Amino acid sequence: MAVLVALGAFLMTLAGGWTAQRVTDRRHLVLGLAGGLMLGVVGLDLLPEALHAAGHEVFGVPAALLLFVAGFLLAHLVERTLAARRAAHGGGENGHRAPEVGLTAAGAMVGHSAMDGVAIGAAFQVGGGMGASVALAVIAHDFADGFNTFTLTSLYGNARRRAVGMLVADACAPLLGALSTAFVHIPEPVLGGYLGLFGGVLLYLAAAEILPEAHHEHPARPTLLCTVAGVLFVWLVVGLSG
């Protein structure tokens, strides 16, 4: 089941890359909805389940919460490191971008997508409802991953062939990650810790990347409504699956 769901992530990643070549002004609504879905999954399902699975505390704080914060900081560190590299290679100057920076950023997206697949498989080990909820978040933001992978690779002067190659690698990564969990049973405390870490990463992507991009230079009300609709939809899914 996890591999079949990861196939949905594969298709959504390709759809995002395809859209990147035919971008329209409605992209902000799609990203607003994706951000709401991700926020809802983190706050309403992923984090509560992580706290339940990894119940022990470290110096008075639940281990899942510590890893949640660590995941957020890790995503922030990676994003800032890539931003610094882009600046060092003239990323802020049109016509003076280093192709290697685009490939590095796209490679980071591929690695992140592989961990998405692991998260799907790990969540299905907890239960079908949890797996469906995490899969919803992953599939929602894999559209943005595909869009950004193609855009980043092309933006820094790489040929279209390379951009398509990185897009295909990014699409395949969740399948490989989910497949790996079919051969390994993850202990519940480790599973809870990983879900907490992944929740922090997911929250960072929603709050610092997807939602700001969705609201950038666009009317706020329609995008905000899409975001709220995403959160409410996750609440409905959690309620029905519970």
Side-chain angles (χ1 to χ4, degrees), residues 78-215:
V78 170
E79 192 273 336
R80 287 292 88 200
T81 301
L82 290 175
R85 290 196 63 180
R86 287 197 296 267
H89 287 81
E93 302 175 14
N94 293 328
H96 293 86
R97 295 188 170 101
E100 294 79 9
V101 177
L103 291 176
T104 299
M109 297 292 290
V110 173
H112 165 68
S113 293
M115 296 309 294
D116 283 352
V118 173
I120 292 175
F124 270 104
Q125 290 187 13
V126 173
M130 184 63 182
S133 182
V134 170
L136 176 66
V138 169
I139 290 174
H141 91 268
D142 272 352
F143 177 89
D145 280 357
F147 190 99
N148 290 334
T149 297
F150 187 90
T151 301
L152 283 171
T153 309
S154 302
L155 182 65
Y156 285 88
N158 290 284
R160 184 178 183 278
R161 175 177 52 84
R162 281 190 174 183
V164 171
M166 294 304 296
L167 174 63
V168 171
D170 190 42
C172 292
L175 282 169
L176 297 176
L179 185 62
S180 70
T181 64
F183 305 99
V184 179
H185 177 74
I186 305 175
E188 188 174 22
V190 176
L191 185 60
Y194 176 74
L195 292 177
L197 183 73
F198 181 69
V201 173
L202 206 61
L203 181 62
Y204 182 85
L205 290 173
E209 298 291 334
I210 291 181
L211 288 177
E213 179 65 22
H215 287 273

